[in-house]
Structures are given as C-alpha cells and as structure tokens.
Amino acid sequence: MQVMAEKGLLKRSERYRSHVYEARIAKEQTQRQLARNLVRRAFDGSAKNLVLGALSSQKVSAKDLAEIRRMLDEYEKRPL
C-alpha cells in the first residue's frame, strides 16, 4: 500500500489510529496505466503480443471473441 501511495495511486489518511487508504485516480485510468506498463515491461511494447498472450492463457467464449472484435472495430473508427 505504501508503494502504491508513493506512486500516486492511493492517498493515505492518518486521521484515525490506523491508516486509511483511498483510490486517488479512477479505476479506468489505473487500468490503462497498468496495461501500458505491462505491455512495455512484459511484452516488449507489443499490444499484439499482450492480446495473444491473454487469449491463449485461458479458454475464451465465442461471445467474448465477438465482443472483442466489435470493440476493435469501434477502436479503429476513433479519430486520432
């Protein structure tokens, strides 16, 4: 928790006897930051390798694959 507080992910309150931690940034922002770090560190910066690793790590339903395809189509249409 202390490390996460030092990285700015949590804020710590010492109002009470024990420390109280709260999220400092939104869940979605945290997930993007963690994904960015994971891609860089574990997959040599390759989003493709991250996706392939995730999909090959467990059985993926046809419904989930269809949803992923739909999301990728939407992502491609986004303006830069």
Side-chain angles (χ1 to χ4, degrees):
M1 295 288 238
Q2 180 63 33
V3 172
M4 292 175 74
E6 289 170 5
K7 290 183 176 187
L9 298 173
L10 298 175
K11 62 181 178 179
R12 182 177 68 189
S13 171
E14 298 179 21
R15 289 178 290 201
Y16 311 103
R17 262 190 191 275
S18 60
H19 297 285
V20 176
Y21 289 90
E22 298 176 56
R24 181 168 281 210
I25 58 179
K27 176 182 175 181
E28 294 79 14
Q29 186 178 349
T30 300
Q31 289 174 334
R32 282 192 302 272
Q33 184 178 354
L34 291 171
R36 184 173 30 254
N37 289 339
L38 181 63
V39 167
R40 184 172 41 85
R41 291 179 180 190
F43 295 93
D44 296 324
S46 173
K48 177 191 79 166
N49 289 342
L50 169 70
V51 171
L52 291 175
L55 292 175
S56 65
S57 70
Q58 61 186 15
K59 186 160 177 64
V60 181
S61 70
K63 181 181 175 183
D64 282 348
L65 285 174
E67 180 68 9
I68 291 167
R69 283 187 185 99
R70 184 192 64 73
M71 293 170 77
L72 287 171
D73 289 343
E74 285 181 16
Y75 185 82
E76 280 187 318
K77 294 175 186 176
R78 287 185 356 182
L80 299 175

